[in-house]
Amino acid sequence: MTAVTAVTDHTEHDERSEEGPEDSGTSGTSGTSEGSGASGDAGRGSEGVWDDGLIARRGPGPGADSAAEGYVPADTASGTSSSAAQASVTSTAYEGPLRARLDALRELVGLSRTRLDSATLAEAGRVLDEAAARRRLSDRHTVVAIAGATGSGKSTLFNALAGVTISEAGVRRPTTAAPIGCSWTDGAAALLDRLGIPGRLRRRPLQGPDTKTLQGLVLIDLPDHDSAVAEHREHVDRILGLVDAVIWVVDPEKYADAMLHERYLRPMAGHAEVTFVVLNQVDRLPGEAADQVLDDLRRLLDEDGIALGEHGEPGATVLALSALTGDGIGELRESLGQFTQERRAAARRIEADLDAAADRLWPVYAGGPSGGRGAQRIGLSEEARDEFADRLADAVGAAAAGQAAERAWRRNAGKACGTPWLRLWRWYEAQRSPQYVGWPVPDPPADEQATARQRVEHAVRTVADEAASGLPTPWGQAVREAAVRGAEGLPEALDELTAKAGVPRGRPPRPGWWPVAVFAQAAMTMLQVLGGLWLVAQIIGVASPNLGVPVLLMLVGIVGGPCVEWASRMAARGPARRYGLDAERRLREAAAGCGRARVLDPVAAELLRYLEVREQYVRVMGASVG
């Protein structure tokens, strides 16, 4: 009857512990004391151990502490004072390079949200969230999960490390239906809450000489990763992403299972420092078969990329043992004790998660379209910028405008320095068909306008492709989109610009020698008029006959006028050329400025943003920025 009462106390305590960490932290202590009192009197059987399958613990004697004597769930053992002590602990494992990498990843995600989809940044966000959540919890504890396939003996190993039967082990499959937690040190309630392990599945190990070796260890027994029950596999995948380290338990029959290596070990090769691989059930292998199986297991782990490297690279700890007979348990306990006392497992796990997230983001931030890892020049070269300006100048007809300005200058010089009779004829023609005062600038035909628009679009596509060359696909696409957005309305803006800056209105300026040429041409005309009037006067008898002088004057005027005009044309070549080049330059610069403001500046802004995120990505990888 007394034994039944003791078991009932344990059951009631399990139910109370399901209420949550706060309730269990207050009521669980008193319940423990009552349970321990029962255990001291009548709770032990003929051999002095519990037989209820939960916790087996020998009574240390009448004067021992009650908490070390009976069943104490791990989530109630901390108490209020332990929680306060845990809050006062300042973690230093997340300072220095690791904190700088986490800050860089946070900045990287913030800069990339407008350029990358949420699915691409989901893993990085998860790493940040998990790192922040783990940092807020105790750094005195190391959470280690025991994972394995059906029948591998992980529950037996769990019980062997705890020194007492906590997790049910048997031939029924699957045996472990839910994760079970066992903490060697108080204050692990928040860590177990994070893993979603209820109070009824939290245990304490057997107190003995080996207990101090594993101080700070929180051991989790997971369901089978190859279980036929989907809920079991979900438990495994969820908790494996939260624990600090993993002990993979394999047996001689399934150590080469493809599911284990392809789904878990190979993808988590970067987590080798926080991975243990245990070959269990070596007692079933005769002679040297255990060494042969262990060597083959190491070969498979080497292919997975998690074995110890030839040059001392970090690798998984590989051991052979028998959880049933206890052979090799001491070596595993010693390795776990040293691993736990370092208090670096949580930081190492986060570093490995950072490495994995950075590797997944490589194609997004550092890998070009070809996926290569070679350094590539980012940005637009001066040659590409000049070519873009030349294409826009060609689209607006800068060269043609310069030639038209040159011809207009020459025509204006011809008008000013030509013979009056030619100027009179040109005035007559102008009266018959009026034109612009300067030079005619008709609207280009529709086909020419379409060709100019195509040239502008081609120039924008070319410069966008040049700027996106070597960029990862998302950022290259962002650069192209920026160029396309800037090019909207660019042809119309260039047309308006051409009308304002490309065709100067009015007459071209006159050089200083023009008055001299005009005076000379007027003198030649006066000679012609004077000689003609003289001849007329001689014909009508007003003047005395003398044909030589008037004829000579007329010949000088007739020949001198074209000579002055020809000399003026020769002298006008240089100024006309300079005037045309200046008009071409103005239109070219105006078109280039318009293209720079609408296309090149937005593209440069996108390139600058990419350089910022790439700099943060390099910091995430833990490398220096070059």
Side-chain angles (χ1 to χ4, degrees), residues 156-217:
T156 305
L157 176 61
F158 182 81
N159 295 332
L161 291 172
V164 63
T165 302
I166 297 178
S167 182
E168 180 183 356
V171 296
R172 181 175 60 87
R173 299 289 182 258
T175 303
T176 306
I180 301 175
C182 180
S183 175
W184 269 253
T185 308
D186 296 340
L191 290 170
L192 294 171
D193 289 341
R194 178 171 176 251
L195 300 179
I197 298 178
R200 61 186 176 83
L201 297 178
R202 303 180 186 184
R203 304 290 186 265
R204 293 295 301 274
L206 176 67
Q207 300 297 322
D210 296 332
T211 305
K212 293 184 178 180
T213 305
L214 299 179
Q215 286 295 312
L217 177 64

Side-chain angles (χ1 to χ4, degrees), residues 102 105 109 113 118-134 194 237-243 268 271 349-350 352-357 360:
L102 289 172
L105 181 60
V109 172
R113 290 192 185 279
S118 58
T120 303
L121 300 173
E123 179 63 17
R126 187 196 68 80
V127 171
L128 288 173
D129 293 341
E130 298 301 338
R134 183 64 181 91
R194 178 171 176 251
D237 294 341
R238 178 180 59 83
I239 294 181
L240 285 180
L242 300 176
V243 296
M268 298 192 69
H271 297 70
R349 170 60 193 262
I350 294 174
D353 289 343
L354 270 174
D355 293 338
R360 291 191 186 97

Side-chain angles (χ1 to χ4, degrees), residues 331-350:
E331 183 180 0
L332 176 60
R333 183 179 285 111
E334 182 179 353
S335 298
L336 281 177
Q338 182 180 0
F339 184 77
T340 303
Q341 292 170 10
E342 291 177 354
R343 297 187 181 181
R344 283 283 303 166
R348 289 175 181 172
R349 170 60 193 262
I350 294 174

Side-chain angles (χ1 to χ4, degrees), residues 224-255:
D224 304 329
H225 71 77
D226 60 349
S227 173
V229 183
E231 184 180 0
H232 296 180
R233 299 193 302 271
E234 292 174 359
H235 279 310
V236 173
D237 294 341
R238 178 180 59 83
I239 294 181
L240 285 180
L242 300 176
V243 296
D244 302 329
V246 183
I247 300 176
W248 288 100
V249 183
V250 298
D251 60 76
E253 295 179 355
K254 295 183 179 180
Y255 73 91

Side-chain angles (χ1 to χ4, degrees), residues 48-210:
V49 296
W50 289 110
D51 58 357
D52 59 1
L54 295 179
I55 275 288
R57 198 165 293 186
R58 297 182 181 275
D65 182 79
S66 61
E69 187 177 337
Y71 159 61
V72 183
D75 62 335
T76 63
S78 59
T80 306
S81 60
S82 298
S83 300
Q86 175 183 341
S88 64
V89 175
T90 302
S91 174
T92 59
Y94 299 92
E95 302 301 325
L98 178 56
R99 181 170 184 176
R101 293 181 64 188
L102 289 172
D103 292 342
L105 181 60
R106 189 176 296 105
E107 183 72 16
L108 179 68
V109 172
L111 290 173
S112 306
R113 290 192 185 279
T114 58
R115 297 297 181 271
L116 303 177
D117 57 273
S118 58
T120 303
L121 300 173
E123 179 63 17
R126 187 196 68 80
V127 171
L128 288 173
D129 293 341
E130 298 301 338
R134 183 64 181 91
R135 185 181 182 184
R136 288 192 295 267
L137 301 178
S138 171
D139 68 336
R140 299 182 296 109
H141 296 81
T142 300
V143 185
V144 181
I146 298 182
T150 303
S152 61
K154 53 185 178 54
S155 296
T156 305
L157 176 61
F158 182 81
N159 295 332
L161 291 172
V164 63
T165 302
I166 297 178
S167 182
E168 180 183 356
V171 296
R172 181 175 60 87
R173 299 289 182 258
T175 303
T176 306
I180 301 175
C182 180
S183 175
W184 269 253
T185 308
D186 296 340
L191 290 170
L192 294 171
D193 289 341
R194 178 171 176 251
L195 300 179
I197 298 178
R200 61 186 176 83
L201 297 178
R202 303 180 186 184
R203 304 290 186 265
R204 293 295 301 274
L206 176 67
Q207 300 297 322
D210 296 332

Side-chain angles (χ1 to χ4, degrees), residues 241 317 323:
T317 301

